[in-house]
Amino acid sequence: MPVFHYKARSGHGDAIEGTLDAGSTDAVAAHLMESGLTPVDIHLHVDRDNLRRGFNELFKQKVETTDLIQFSRQMYSMLRAGVPIFRAITGLASTTGNPSLKETLERVSESLESGRSLSESLARHPDVFSMFYISMVRVGETSGHTEEIFKQLAFYLDREKETRKKIKSALRYPMFVITAIAVALCIISIFVIPAFADMFRSFGAELPLPTRILMAISDFMVANWPMLLGSIIVAVIGLRMFINTEDGAYRWDRLMLKLPLTGPVVYKASLARFSHLIAMSLGAAVPLIASLTVVAHALNNRFLEERILGMRSGIEQGKALSMVAANTGIFDPLVMQMLAVGEESGTITELLKEIADYYDREVDYATERLSASIEPILTVVIGVLVLVMAMGVFLP
C-alpha cells in the first residue's frame, strides 16, 4: 500500500505532520477528519533513503570469485590458528577491500552476535554465497571441521575460476572477430555499396548476379534499418524473457550443451564441476542423496540438474550409483567403469576425484581444440565474404 505524507491542523490550530498508509489521498483525508484533524496538504511520500540505496545497488561493486577464494583461505588460516569464528568474520570485514563483501561480512557478524550459526548467517546472503557453499559450511559445523571445509572451498573455487578463464579465453577471439565482421558488413551495406550502386545503374546494362545481390541487400538495409534494429532489440528482449521461464531455461541450457564447437567445452566443464562438488560433499561425510540434491542446484544448468535429480530418485529406490548414472546418459563409458570399480572397492570418493581430474584434462583439451578449430573456420568465412564483395564490385 502506498505511503502518503500529510500536513494537518488540530482543533487548537497546532500544525501536525506525518505519514500514513492508505489507498488514496481521499482515504488519508477521511482518516484525518475522523481523528479530528483538518487536512492541509497530502501527497505521495518519497523515501529518499530507499531511492539512494536503490541507486547505490546499481553501481556497487560485486563480490567476485576471487574475493570468495581469498575469504575462504583467510577463514581457513584463522580458524586453524584457533581464532573464534565471530572474531575471524569481524576482522575480515574490517580488512577486505571489496565494499560489498565488507558490508556482507558486517551483517554476517551482526547475525552471529544475535545467536545464529555461521551457515544460517551466510544463508541470509544468497546473492554472495551459493547454496553449495552454505551447505558445505553447515557440514563443517556439524562435523567440527569447519576450517578444512573452508580449505576445500578455496581449492574448488580456484579451480572453477581457472576453468572459466580458459573457456572465456578460447571464446574471446572468435566473438571479437564475429562482432567485427558484423559491424563491417553493416557499414559496407549502408554506406559503401550505395555509392557504387549509383555508378553501376548509370551503365544502363544488365549487371552481374553477385552485384545485383549486393545491391538488393544494401537497398533493403538502407530502407529498413530502423525496423531491423528494432527487430534485433525485440528479439534479444524476447529471448531473455523466454530464458527466465522454467521451460525456456531448460531448453536454453540443453542447447548450450549441444552447440557445435563450444557445446563440448561447456558440457565437460559442467561434468568436471559436478565431479568436484560430489567428491567434496562425500569427503565431508554428506549423505549421497543430500549431496546430489545440493550439487544439482549448484551446476546452474537446468538440463543437467534434471538428470542429477533423476539419479537421486534412483538412489532413493535402492539402486547403485553406477546404474543410475548410466541411466542419465551424460557420462562417458570410462567414467561409468570408474564408478563401478569405486562402488565395489569402497573408494568412491577417491575415484570421483580422479573423474574430476579426468574431466579437467578433457576441458583443457577441448579448449585447445576449440581455438584450433575456430580459427580456420573464421578464415574461410572472411575469405568468402571478401570474395563476394570483390566480385560484386569489380565484375561490372
Side-chain angles (χ1 to χ4, degrees), residues 162-180:
E162 290 300 320
T163 301
R164 291 184 178 181
K165 183 179 178 181
K166 291 176 183 177
I167 296 176
K168 289 181 179 180
S169 177
L171 297 178
R172 187 177 296 115
Y173 171 72
M175 291 302 298
F176 174 78
V177 173
I178 292 173
T179 302

PDB file of all heavy atoms in Angstrom, residues 162-180:
ATOM      1  N   GLU A 162      39.738 -20.962 -12.767  1.00  0.00           N
ATOM      2  CA  GLU A 162      40.672 -21.262 -13.849  1.00  0.00           C
ATOM      3  C   GLU A 162      39.953 -21.877 -15.045  1.00  0.00           C
ATOM      4  O   GLU A 162      40.267 -21.565 -16.198  1.00  0.00           O
ATOM      5  CB  GLU A 162      41.770 -22.209 -13.346  1.00  0.00           C
ATOM      6  CG  GLU A 162      42.737 -21.559 -12.380  1.00  0.00           C
ATOM      7  CD  GLU A 162      43.470 -20.379 -13.008  1.00  0.00           C
ATOM      8  OE1 GLU A 162      43.856 -20.490 -14.192  1.00  0.00           O
ATOM      9  OE2 GLU A 162      43.623 -19.347 -12.338  1.00  0.00           O
ATOM     10  N   THR A 163      38.976 -22.747 -14.783  1.00  0.00           N
ATOM     11  CA  THR A 163      38.223 -23.363 -15.872  1.00  0.00           C
ATOM     12  C   THR A 163      37.443 -22.320 -16.656  1.00  0.00           C
ATOM     13  O   THR A 163      37.444 -22.311 -17.900  1.00  0.00           O
ATOM     14  CB  THR A 163      37.256 -24.428 -15.312  1.00  0.00           C
ATOM     15  OG1 THR A 163      38.000 -25.423 -14.603  1.00  0.00           O
ATOM     16  CG2 THR A 163      36.482 -25.092 -16.436  1.00  0.00           C
ATOM     17  N   ARG A 164      36.779 -21.424 -15.943  1.00  0.00           N
ATOM     18  CA  ARG A 164      36.015 -20.378 -16.627  1.00  0.00           C
ATOM     19  C   ARG A 164      36.937 -19.437 -17.399  1.00  0.00           C
ATOM     20  O   ARG A 164      36.593 -18.975 -18.489  1.00  0.00           O
ATOM     21  CB  ARG A 164      35.208 -19.584 -15.604  1.00  0.00           C
ATOM     22  CG  ARG A 164      34.078 -20.382 -14.982  1.00  0.00           C
ATOM     23  CD  ARG A 164      33.247 -19.525 -14.046  1.00  0.00           C
ATOM     24  NE  ARG A 164      32.139 -20.268 -13.476  1.00  0.00           N
ATOM     25  CZ  ARG A 164      31.237 -19.757 -12.641  1.00  0.00           C
ATOM     26  NH1 ARG A 164      31.349 -18.479 -12.288  1.00  0.00           N
ATOM     27  NH2 ARG A 164      30.257 -20.501 -12.169  1.00  0.00           N
ATOM     28  N   LYS A 165      38.099 -19.177 -16.845  1.00  0.00           N
ATOM     29  CA  LYS A 165      39.067 -18.318 -17.522  1.00  0.00           C
ATOM     30  C   LYS A 165      39.508 -18.937 -18.844  1.00  0.00           C
ATOM     31  O   LYS A 165      39.649 -18.239 -19.866  1.00  0.00           O
ATOM     32  CB  LYS A 165      40.260 -18.086 -16.605  1.00  0.00           C
ATOM     33  CG  LYS A 165      41.313 -17.152 -17.176  1.00  0.00           C
ATOM     34  CD  LYS A 165      42.449 -16.952 -16.176  1.00  0.00           C
ATOM     35  CE  LYS A 165      43.533 -16.045 -16.760  1.00  0.00           C
ATOM     36  NZ  LYS A 165      44.650 -15.863 -15.785  1.00  0.00           N
ATOM     37  N   LYS A 166      39.734 -20.258 -18.861  1.00  0.00           N
ATOM     38  CA  LYS A 166      40.151 -20.939 -20.087  1.00  0.00           C
ATOM     39  C   LYS A 166      39.053 -20.880 -21.143  1.00  0.00           C
ATOM     40  O   LYS A 166      39.324 -20.650 -22.327  1.00  0.00           O
ATOM     41  CB  LYS A 166      40.513 -22.392 -19.774  1.00  0.00           C
ATOM     42  CG  LYS A 166      41.770 -22.554 -18.938  1.00  0.00           C
ATOM     43  CD  LYS A 166      42.001 -24.013 -18.582  1.00  0.00           C
ATOM     44  CE  LYS A 166      43.222 -24.166 -17.693  1.00  0.00           C
ATOM     45  NZ  LYS A 166      43.427 -25.588 -17.273  1.00  0.00           N
ATOM     46  N   ILE A 167      37.811 -21.096 -20.707  1.00  0.00           N
ATOM     47  CA  ILE A 167      36.693 -21.070 -21.666  1.00  0.00           C
ATOM     48  C   ILE A 167      36.511 -19.673 -22.237  1.00  0.00           C
ATOM     49  O   ILE A 167      36.331 -19.504 -23.458  1.00  0.00           O
ATOM     50  CB  ILE A 167      35.401 -21.560 -20.980  1.00  0.00           C
ATOM     51  CG1 ILE A 167      35.551 -23.026 -20.565  1.00  0.00           C
ATOM     52  CG2 ILE A 167      34.209 -21.385 -21.907  1.00  0.00           C
ATOM     53  CD1 ILE A 167      34.371 -23.560 -19.796  1.00  0.00           C
ATOM     54  N   LYS A 168      36.562 -18.658 -21.390  1.00  0.00           N
ATOM     55  CA  LYS A 168      36.420 -17.283 -21.874  1.00  0.00           C
ATOM     56  C   LYS A 168      37.562 -16.910 -22.806  1.00  0.00           C
ATOM     57  O   LYS A 168      37.358 -16.216 -23.816  1.00  0.00           O
ATOM     58  CB  LYS A 168      36.372 -16.313 -20.689  1.00  0.00           C
ATOM     59  CG  LYS A 168      35.093 -16.388 -19.882  1.00  0.00           C
ATOM     60  CD  LYS A 168      35.112 -15.385 -18.745  1.00  0.00           C
ATOM     61  CE  LYS A 168      33.808 -15.444 -17.940  1.00  0.00           C
ATOM     62  NZ  LYS A 168      33.823 -14.465 -16.818  1.00  0.00           N
ATOM     63  N   SER A 169      38.764 -17.362 -22.489  1.00  0.00           N
ATOM     64  CA  SER A 169      39.917 -17.065 -23.345  1.00  0.00           C
ATOM     65  C   SER A 169      39.751 -17.694 -24.713  1.00  0.00           C
ATOM     66  O   SER A 169      40.104 -17.094 -25.734  1.00  0.00           O
ATOM     67  CB  SER A 169      41.193 -17.571 -22.678  1.00  0.00           C
ATOM     68  OG  SER A 169      42.313 -17.357 -23.504  1.00  0.00           O
ATOM     69  N   ALA A 170      39.200 -18.918 -24.752  1.00  0.00           N
ATOM     70  CA  ALA A 170      39.008 -19.592 -26.035  1.00  0.00           C
ATOM     71  C   ALA A 170      37.918 -18.935 -26.869  1.00  0.00           C
ATOM     72  O   ALA A 170      37.976 -18.937 -28.108  1.00  0.00           O
ATOM     73  CB  ALA A 170      38.670 -21.059 -25.801  1.00  0.00           C
ATOM     74  N   LEU A 171      36.902 -18.350 -26.217  1.00  0.00           N
ATOM     75  CA  LEU A 171      35.781 -17.753 -26.938  1.00  0.00           C
ATOM     76  C   LEU A 171      35.981 -16.274 -27.243  1.00  0.00           C
ATOM     77  O   LEU A 171      35.261 -15.727 -28.090  1.00  0.00           O
ATOM     78  CB  LEU A 171      34.492 -17.921 -26.118  1.00  0.00           C
ATOM     79  CG  LEU A 171      34.021 -19.354 -25.870  1.00  0.00           C
ATOM     80  CD1 LEU A 171      32.772 -19.346 -25.009  1.00  0.00           C
ATOM     81  CD2 LEU A 171      33.741 -20.068 -27.186  1.00  0.00           C
ATOM     82  N   ARG A 172      36.947 -15.632 -26.598  1.00  0.00           N
ATOM     83  CA  ARG A 172      37.126 -14.191 -26.762  1.00  0.00           C
ATOM     84  C   ARG A 172      37.486 -13.829 -28.203  1.00  0.00           C
ATOM     85  O   ARG A 172      36.898 -12.917 -28.792  1.00  0.00           O
ATOM     86  CB  ARG A 172      38.197 -13.694 -25.801  1.00  0.00           C
ATOM     87  CG  ARG A 172      38.330 -12.158 -25.783  1.00  0.00           C
ATOM     88  CD  ARG A 172      39.359 -11.717 -24.767  1.00  0.00           C
ATOM     89  NE  ARG A 172      38.952 -12.068 -23.407  1.00  0.00           N
ATOM     90  CZ  ARG A 172      39.584 -12.913 -22.634  1.00  0.00           C
ATOM     91  NH1 ARG A 172      40.681 -13.523 -23.081  1.00  0.00           N
ATOM     92  NH2 ARG A 172      39.163 -13.171 -21.414  1.00  0.00           N
ATOM     93  N   TYR A 173      38.450 -14.542 -28.776  1.00  0.00           N
ATOM     94  CA  TYR A 173      38.902 -14.214 -30.139  1.00  0.00           C
ATOM     95  C   TYR A 173      37.793 -14.394 -31.180  1.00  0.00           C
ATOM     96  O   TYR A 173      37.524 -13.473 -31.966  1.00  0.00           O
ATOM     97  CB  TYR A 173      40.124 -15.056 -30.500  1.00  0.00           C
ATOM     98  CG  TYR A 173      40.535 -14.967 -31.943  1.00  0.00           C
ATOM     99  CD1 TYR A 173      41.131 -13.807 -32.437  1.00  0.00           C
ATOM    100  CD2 TYR A 173      40.313 -16.018 -32.815  1.00  0.00           C
ATOM    101  CE1 TYR A 173      41.498 -13.720 -33.773  1.00  0.00           C
ATOM    102  CE2 TYR A 173      40.676 -15.932 -34.146  1.00  0.00           C
ATOM    103  CZ  TYR A 173      41.268 -14.793 -34.625  1.00  0.00           C
ATOM    104  OH  TYR A 173      41.627 -14.706 -35.941  1.00  0.00           O
ATOM    105  N   PRO A 174      37.112 -15.563 -31.220  1.00  0.00           N
ATOM    106  CA  PRO A 174      36.046 -15.699 -32.219  1.00  0.00           C
ATOM    107  C   PRO A 174      34.908 -14.702 -32.038  1.00  0.00           C
ATOM    108  O   PRO A 174      34.350 -14.212 -33.035  1.00  0.00           O
ATOM    109  CB  PRO A 174      35.559 -17.143 -32.038  1.00  0.00           C
ATOM    110  CG  PRO A 174      36.081 -17.582 -30.733  1.00  0.00           C
ATOM    111  CD  PRO A 174      37.342 -16.828 -30.511  1.00  0.00           C
ATOM    112  N   MET A 175      34.547 -14.389 -30.796  1.00  0.00           N
ATOM    113  CA  MET A 175      33.476 -13.423 -30.584  1.00  0.00           C
ATOM    114  C   MET A 175      33.887 -12.043 -31.080  1.00  0.00           C
ATOM    115  O   MET A 175      33.076 -11.319 -31.682  1.00  0.00           O
ATOM    116  CB  MET A 175      33.118 -13.364 -29.104  1.00  0.00           C
ATOM    117  CG  MET A 175      32.436 -14.614 -28.572  1.00  0.00           C
ATOM    118  SD  MET A 175      30.907 -15.000 -29.459  1.00  0.00           S
ATOM    119  CE  MET A 175      29.939 -13.549 -29.085  1.00  0.00           C
ATOM    120  N   PHE A 176      35.150 -11.682 -30.852  1.00  0.00           N
ATOM    121  CA  PHE A 176      35.642 -10.388 -31.331  1.00  0.00           C
ATOM    122  C   PHE A 176      35.619 -10.340 -32.859  1.00  0.00           C
ATOM    123  O   PHE A 176      35.186  -9.336 -33.462  1.00  0.00           O
ATOM    124  CB  PHE A 176      37.057 -10.161 -30.817  1.00  0.00           C
ATOM    125  CG  PHE A 176      37.712  -8.914 -31.364  1.00  0.00           C
ATOM    126  CD1 PHE A 176      37.393  -7.668 -30.861  1.00  0.00           C
ATOM    127  CD2 PHE A 176      38.638  -8.995 -32.396  1.00  0.00           C
ATOM    128  CE1 PHE A 176      37.980  -6.517 -31.365  1.00  0.00           C
ATOM    129  CE2 PHE A 176      39.232  -7.854 -32.910  1.00  0.00           C
ATOM    130  CZ  PHE A 176      38.911  -6.611 -32.398  1.00  0.00           C
ATOM    131  N   VAL A 177      36.061 -11.418 -33.506  1.00  0.00           N
ATOM    132  CA  VAL A 177      36.103 -11.448 -34.975  1.00  0.00           C
ATOM    133  C   VAL A 177      34.692 -11.415 -35.557  1.00  0.00           C
ATOM    134  O   VAL A 177      34.416 -10.685 -36.517  1.00  0.00           O
ATOM    135  CB  VAL A 177      36.859 -12.698 -35.465  1.00  0.00           C
ATOM    136  CG1 VAL A 177      36.758 -12.824 -36.986  1.00  0.00           C
ATOM    137  CG2 VAL A 177      38.322 -12.630 -35.042  1.00  0.00           C
ATOM    138  N   ILE A 178      33.785 -12.193 -34.972  1.00  0.00           N
ATOM    139  CA  ILE A 178      32.404 -12.223 -35.478  1.00  0.00           C
ATOM    140  C   ILE A 178      31.750 -10.855 -35.323  1.00  0.00           C
ATOM    141  O   ILE A 178      31.048 -10.377 -36.237  1.00  0.00           O
ATOM    142  CB  ILE A 178      31.594 -13.303 -34.734  1.00  0.00           C
ATOM    143  CG1 ILE A 178      32.110 -14.693 -35.124  1.00  0.00           C
ATOM    144  CG2 ILE A 178      30.110 -13.179 -35.051  1.00  0.00           C
ATOM    145  CD1 ILE A 178      31.480 -15.805 -34.316  1.00  0.00           C
ATOM    146  N   THR A 179      31.979 -10.200 -34.202  1.00  0.00           N
ATOM    147  CA  THR A 179      31.413  -8.857 -33.996  1.00  0.00           C
ATOM    148  C   THR A 179      31.985  -7.874 -35.012  1.00  0.00           C
ATOM    149  O   THR A 179      31.246  -7.053 -35.589  1.00  0.00           O
ATOM    150  CB  THR A 179      31.706  -8.379 -32.568  1.00  0.00           C
ATOM    151  OG1 THR A 179      31.169  -9.306 -31.634  1.00  0.00           O
ATOM    152  CG2 THR A 179      31.092  -7.011 -32.330  1.00  0.00           C
ATOM    153  N   ALA A 180      33.311  -7.947 -35.246  1.00  0.00           N
ATOM    154  CA  ALA A 180      33.938  -7.048 -36.208  1.00  0.00           C
ATOM    155  C   ALA A 180      33.392  -7.282 -37.612  1.00  0.00           C
ATOM    156  O   ALA A 180      33.152  -6.330 -38.373  1.00  0.00           O
ATOM    157  CB  ALA A 180      35.452  -7.244 -36.191  1.00  0.00           C
TER     158      ALA A 180
END
